[in-house]
Amino acid sequence: MQPVDERRNLATDVARLRGECPGMTEEHAFSTLEVLECLQRMDEWARTKVIQEAGQWIIVGERFSPTFESCSTEVVIPLCTTHFLNMALHDVFATTFGGAVTYGIVDDPGGVVFYRIAAHGLPSIRHVQCS
């Protein structure tokens, strides 16, 4: 269980994000914050921000290659374990966001599983513990 101060800060952050992102549910705000904070702790990501695109709240950021020789703008769609995703919906996201899509699924407070799926492709899976 999180200490009281951490829970209070998380509740404040969720309320702030919901105020900035009209229509975002509390559950989605929590998932978005967990994924965003995890990405911000990773060296390969920079300039991450939450935006609404095609009716979906997403995280956009610059992702560097492992050698930091190149970078590209990429999309991460935050999900929690109760969100529904199927390949038809993924194909819509892949078309809308230009190919491969990374999903950040919150599996525990502080734990995020990243799935990167190309259009009609197999996923690349990476679990990151961000605590």
Side-chain angles (χ1 to χ4, degrees), residues 57-74:
W57 289 104
I58 62 172
I59 298 170
V60 177
E62 300 300 318
R63 186 173 188 189
F64 293 91
S65 66
T67 59
F68 292 94
E69 293 175 2
S70 64
C71 74
S72 60
T73 302
E74 294 194 19

mmCIF file of all heavy atoms in Angstrom, residues 57-74:
data_model
loop_
_atom_site.group_PDB
_atom_site.id
_atom_site.type_symbol
_atom_site.label_atom_id
_atom_site.label_comp_id
_atom_site.label_asym_id
_atom_site.label_seq_id
_atom_site.Cartn_x
_atom_site.Cartn_y
_atom_site.Cartn_z
ATOM 1 N N TRP A 57 -7.166 9.702 -25.913
ATOM 2 C CA TRP A 57 -6.092 10.353 -25.161
ATOM 3 C C TRP A 57 -4.853 9.498 -25.294
ATOM 4 O O TRP A 57 -4.871 8.301 -25.002
ATOM 5 C CB TRP A 57 -6.484 10.529 -23.701
ATOM 6 C CG TRP A 57 -7.540 11.570 -23.539
ATOM 7 C CD1 TRP A 57 -8.863 11.368 -23.294
ATOM 8 C CD2 TRP A 57 -7.376 12.975 -23.657
ATOM 9 N NE1 TRP A 57 -9.531 12.561 -23.243
ATOM 10 C CE2 TRP A 57 -8.642 13.572 -23.466
ATOM 11 C CE3 TRP A 57 -6.284 13.806 -23.914
ATOM 12 C CZ2 TRP A 57 -8.844 14.949 -23.508
ATOM 13 C CZ3 TRP A 57 -6.488 15.174 -23.946
ATOM 14 C CH2 TRP A 57 -7.747 15.728 -23.750
ATOM 15 N N ILE A 58 -3.775 10.099 -25.780
ATOM 16 C CA ILE A 58 -2.538 9.372 -26.049
ATOM 17 C C ILE A 58 -1.356 10.141 -25.473
ATOM 18 O O ILE A 58 -1.475 11.310 -25.103
ATOM 19 C CB ILE A 58 -2.321 9.155 -27.564
ATOM 20 C CG1 ILE A 58 -2.187 10.509 -28.280
ATOM 21 C CG2 ILE A 58 -3.451 8.327 -28.156
ATOM 22 C CD1 ILE A 58 -1.796 10.403 -29.733
ATOM 23 N N ILE A 59 -0.223 9.469 -25.429
ATOM 24 C CA ILE A 59 1.030 10.106 -25.046
ATOM 25 C C ILE A 59 1.904 10.148 -26.296
ATOM 26 O O ILE A 59 2.068 9.135 -26.982
ATOM 27 C CB ILE A 59 1.735 9.321 -23.927
ATOM 28 C CG1 ILE A 59 0.850 9.294 -22.680
ATOM 29 C CG2 ILE A 59 3.102 9.937 -23.623
ATOM 30 C CD1 ILE A 59 1.342 8.359 -21.595
ATOM 31 N N VAL A 60 2.438 11.310 -26.583
ATOM 32 C CA VAL A 60 3.335 11.495 -27.722
ATOM 33 C C VAL A 60 4.684 11.912 -27.173
ATOM 34 O O VAL A 60 4.764 12.700 -26.228
ATOM 35 C CB VAL A 60 2.797 12.580 -28.680
ATOM 36 C CG1 VAL A 60 3.762 12.836 -29.818
ATOM 37 C CG2 VAL A 60 1.439 12.198 -29.219
ATOM 38 N N GLY A 61 5.728 11.373 -27.754
ATOM 39 C CA GLY A 61 7.063 11.747 -27.310
ATOM 40 C C GLY A 61 8.108 11.414 -28.339
ATOM 41 O O GLY A 61 7.825 10.762 -29.347
ATOM 42 N N GLU A 62 9.310 11.864 -28.072
ATOM 43 C CA GLU A 62 10.454 11.556 -28.921
ATOM 44 C C GLU A 62 11.143 10.327 -28.346
ATOM 45 O O GLU A 62 11.487 10.304 -27.166
ATOM 46 C CB GLU A 62 11.433 12.729 -28.962
ATOM 47 C CG GLU A 62 10.834 14.000 -29.504
ATOM 48 C CD GLU A 62 10.311 13.868 -30.922
ATOM 49 O OE1 GLU A 62 10.993 13.232 -31.762
ATOM 50 O OE2 GLU A 62 9.219 14.378 -31.205
ATOM 51 N N ARG A 63 11.309 9.316 -29.187
ATOM 52 C CA ARG A 63 11.956 8.077 -28.740
ATOM 53 C C ARG A 63 13.295 7.928 -29.455
ATOM 54 O O ARG A 63 13.367 7.934 -30.678
ATOM 55 C CB ARG A 63 11.076 6.877 -29.032
ATOM 56 C CG ARG A 63 11.658 5.611 -28.461
ATOM 57 C CD ARG A 63 10.719 4.458 -28.604
ATOM 58 N NE ARG A 63 11.230 3.313 -27.893
ATOM 59 C CZ ARG A 63 10.712 2.115 -27.971
ATOM 60 N NH1 ARG A 63 9.629 1.921 -28.706
ATOM 61 N NH2 ARG A 63 11.235 1.127 -27.298
ATOM 62 N N PHE A 64 14.344 7.775 -28.662
ATOM 63 C CA PHE A 64 15.688 7.637 -29.201
ATOM 64 C C PHE A 64 16.021 6.178 -29.459
ATOM 65 O O PHE A 64 15.557 5.283 -28.744
ATOM 66 C CB PHE A 64 16.715 8.222 -28.220
ATOM 67 C CG PHE A 64 16.596 9.702 -28.063
ATOM 68 C CD1 PHE A 64 15.781 10.246 -27.082
ATOM 69 C CD2 PHE A 64 17.296 10.552 -28.905
ATOM 70 C CE1 PHE A 64 15.660 11.619 -26.932
ATOM 71 C CE2 PHE A 64 17.182 11.924 -28.768
ATOM 72 C CZ PHE A 64 16.361 12.464 -27.783
ATOM 73 N N SER A 65 16.866 5.945 -30.448
ATOM 74 C CA SER A 65 17.362 4.596 -30.713
ATOM 75 C C SER A 65 18.276 4.190 -29.553
ATOM 76 O O SER A 65 18.744 5.053 -28.801
ATOM 77 C CB SER A 65 18.131 4.567 -32.034
ATOM 78 O OG SER A 65 19.315 5.344 -31.928
ATOM 79 N N PRO A 66 18.560 2.895 -29.404
ATOM 80 C CA PRO A 66 19.420 2.445 -28.293
ATOM 81 C C PRO A 66 20.792 3.118 -28.270
ATOM 82 O O PRO A 66 21.381 3.298 -27.209
ATOM 83 C CB PRO A 66 19.542 0.941 -28.524
ATOM 84 C CG PRO A 66 18.287 0.579 -29.254
ATOM 85 C CD PRO A 66 17.995 1.768 -30.143
ATOM 86 N N THR A 67 21.316 3.519 -29.432
ATOM 87 C CA THR A 67 22.625 4.170 -29.487
ATOM 88 C C THR A 67 22.517 5.698 -29.474
ATOM 89 O O THR A 67 23.525 6.387 -29.563
ATOM 90 C CB THR A 67 23.377 3.746 -30.764
ATOM 91 O OG1 THR A 67 22.583 4.121 -31.897
ATOM 92 C CG2 THR A 67 23.637 2.246 -30.770
ATOM 93 N N PHE A 68 21.286 6.221 -29.404
ATOM 94 C CA PHE A 68 20.996 7.651 -29.403
ATOM 95 C C PHE A 68 21.471 8.346 -30.686
ATOM 96 O O PHE A 68 21.697 9.543 -30.700
ATOM 97 C CB PHE A 68 21.589 8.348 -28.167
ATOM 98 C CG PHE A 68 20.914 7.941 -26.894
ATOM 99 C CD1 PHE A 68 21.420 6.905 -26.131
ATOM 100 C CD2 PHE A 68 19.748 8.565 -26.482
ATOM 101 C CE1 PHE A 68 20.780 6.508 -24.964
ATOM 102 C CE2 PHE A 68 19.117 8.175 -25.318
ATOM 103 C CZ PHE A 68 19.628 7.148 -24.558
ATOM 104 N N GLU A 69 21.597 7.586 -31.778
ATOM 105 C CA GLU A 69 22.007 8.175 -33.050
ATOM 106 C C GLU A 69 20.822 8.765 -33.802
ATOM 107 O O GLU A 69 20.997 9.579 -34.702
ATOM 108 C CB GLU A 69 22.710 7.127 -33.916
ATOM 109 C CG GLU A 69 24.042 6.699 -33.335
ATOM 110 C CD GLU A 69 24.691 5.573 -34.125
ATOM 111 O OE1 GLU A 69 24.129 5.147 -35.140
ATOM 112 O OE2 GLU A 69 25.767 5.139 -33.700
ATOM 113 N N SER A 70 19.619 8.330 -33.464
ATOM 114 C CA SER A 70 18.431 8.850 -34.141
ATOM 115 C C SER A 70 17.263 8.865 -33.166
ATOM 116 O O SER A 70 17.309 8.241 -32.106
ATOM 117 C CB SER A 70 18.088 7.978 -35.355
ATOM 118 O OG SER A 70 17.738 6.674 -34.933
ATOM 119 N N CYS A 71 16.237 9.611 -33.540
ATOM 120 C CA CYS A 71 15.018 9.603 -32.744
ATOM 121 C C CYS A 71 13.830 9.848 -33.669
ATOM 122 O O CYS A 71 13.981 10.332 -34.788
ATOM 123 C CB CYS A 71 15.055 10.627 -31.617
ATOM 124 S SG CYS A 71 14.846 12.330 -32.130
ATOM 125 N N SER A 72 12.642 9.470 -33.184
ATOM 126 C CA SER A 72 11.420 9.669 -33.958
ATOM 127 C C SER A 72 10.278 9.963 -32.999
ATOM 128 O O SER A 72 10.324 9.599 -31.820
ATOM 129 C CB SER A 72 11.107 8.434 -34.804
ATOM 130 O OG SER A 72 10.926 7.307 -33.971
ATOM 131 N N THR A 73 9.263 10.626 -33.506
ATOM 132 C CA THR A 73 8.073 10.891 -32.711
ATOM 133 C C THR A 73 7.227 9.633 -32.704
ATOM 134 O O THR A 73 6.949 9.075 -33.763
ATOM 135 C CB THR A 73 7.277 12.075 -33.304
ATOM 136 O OG1 THR A 73 8.132 13.214 -33.340
ATOM 137 C CG2 THR A 73 6.057 12.379 -32.472
ATOM 138 N N GLU A 74 6.850 9.183 -31.513
ATOM 139 C CA GLU A 74 6.058 7.956 -31.394
ATOM 140 C C GLU A 74 4.875 8.177 -30.473
ATOM 141 O O GLU A 74 4.856 9.107 -29.664
ATOM 142 C CB GLU A 74 6.920 6.801 -30.892
ATOM 143 C CG GLU A 74 7.982 6.399 -31.895
ATOM 144 C CD GLU A 74 8.624 5.062 -31.577
ATOM 145 O OE1 GLU A 74 8.047 4.264 -30.817
ATOM 146 O OE2 GLU A 74 9.730 4.837 -32.099
#
